[in-house]
Structure formats: C-alpha cells, structure tokens
Amino acid sequence: MRPAVTGAVLAVAALSGPHAVAADEPRLRIANDASPSALAFAGENTEAVSAAATVCGSGYAFRNAVALPSATNRLGTLFPENGGSGCAIMDNNTSGAKYMYLKICKVGGTSCDTDSGNFSSYAGPVYVNSFGCAPVTAQMGTNSSSLYFTYTNERLFPCG
C-alpha cells in the first residue's frame, strides 16, 4: 500500500502549489517506518504534510502526525520528522494566533529545545540530536494560563 499512497501524496503535493518548474517543487519524502494511519493522514492532508516537511529542512521525511487534542477535535497537529536529527513542529489548525509551546528533549529530559509564543501557523521547529524515545510536550491555548490541551509523550520517535 505504501507505494500507492506515497505516489498519491507526491502527485497531490506537486499539484497543490502554485505553478512552478518541477525542479522547484519540494519533494515530500515518506519515512520507511511511517504507519498506515500516518500514510492515510498524509493522503488527506498533503498541503500540511508538505509544509511540515519543508519547515524542518532538507533531509527530513514525514513520519507521523498526531492530531491534538484528538482526531475528532483537531486544534493542532504535531509532526515528528526523521532526518539527521529529530525535528518536530506543531501546526496551528485554528483561525488566528494562539499561544503554543513545544518542547523536545533527549532521553531523560536533558538537552531540550523549545519554542513558545503566539503563532498563527506553527510552533517550532525544535530539534534533538539523540532522538530515539525523545520526550515531547505540546500545549495550545489562548495564553499560557488558559490552555486547550497539554500533550506529553515519552516516545515521540521510535526507541532504537
């Protein structure tokens, strides 16, 4: 199933942007360990997935998308990307700027990278060099005291 979905994602991503020379179009790379649910999300949200992949920089591949606080009430989307290091962004899926906080750390909670503020597009990118099992915290709200959700996960990336 992966080749068909990957091809569909690439085809839609190439068609969804403004007309440009094909060489100028960013290529969406799909990580080898992307789950079937991640591939389905990519097929349904090609513009967001393509944008997230380019924010982290060249060499990153789409791996997963986490709807926050839930798939039925998605206010934000957390995108962990695989590359030379771990990268994450949190997409703002609401209208207007919201307070957003994103933190990713090495295992054990050391060497953290954070981004916070009022963002209309996304928080991040945040990076971690040793990204196996990297813990992450993501928050969104009207301000830091009035949050819609706080998401934590001790294993944003697969444990290696």
Side-chain angles (χ1 to χ4, degrees):
M1 180 167 137
R2 180 173 314 241
V5 174
T6 302
V9 169
L10 290 173
V12 174
L15 296 173
S16 64
H19 296 320
V21 177
D24 294 338
E25 292 291 333
R27 298 239 11 206
L28 175 60
R29 293 180 49 222
I30 305 290
N32 291 336
D33 63 349
S35 69
S37 62
L39 294 173
F41 181 90
E44 296 167 5
N45 300 279
T46 54
E47 189 174 318
V49 169
S50 296
T54 60
V55 169
C56 285
S58 64
Y60 284 89
F62 170 74
R63 183 183 167 277
N64 197 9
V66 180
L68 300 173
S70 69
T72 57
N73 183 27
R74 185 168 56 129
L75 302 176
T77 306
L78 179 63
F79 290 101
E81 305 288 334
N82 282 354
S85 62
C87 174
I89 70 162
M90 183 173 53
D91 201 20
N92 179 349
N93 301 131
T94 70
S95 60
K98 300 291 185 265
Y99 169 79
M100 299 172 77
Y101 173 87
L102 183 59
K103 177 174 88 170
I104 189 169
C105 304
K106 286 185 179 181
V107 175
T110 62
S111 300
C112 300
D113 188 15
T114 62
D115 190 24
S116 64
N118 291 317
F119 303 113
S120 58
S121 297
Y122 59 87
V126 292
Y127 298 92
V128 63
N129 289 332
S130 176
F131 62 91
C133 298
V136 65
T137 302
Q139 298 177 325
M140 179 187 269
T142 55
N143 58 54
S144 62
S145 300
S146 180
L147 297 173
Y148 304 140
F149 63 82
T150 296
Y151 172 83
T152 59
N153 188 323
E154 292 301 315
R155 297 181 179 166
L156 182 61
F157 298 97
C159 298

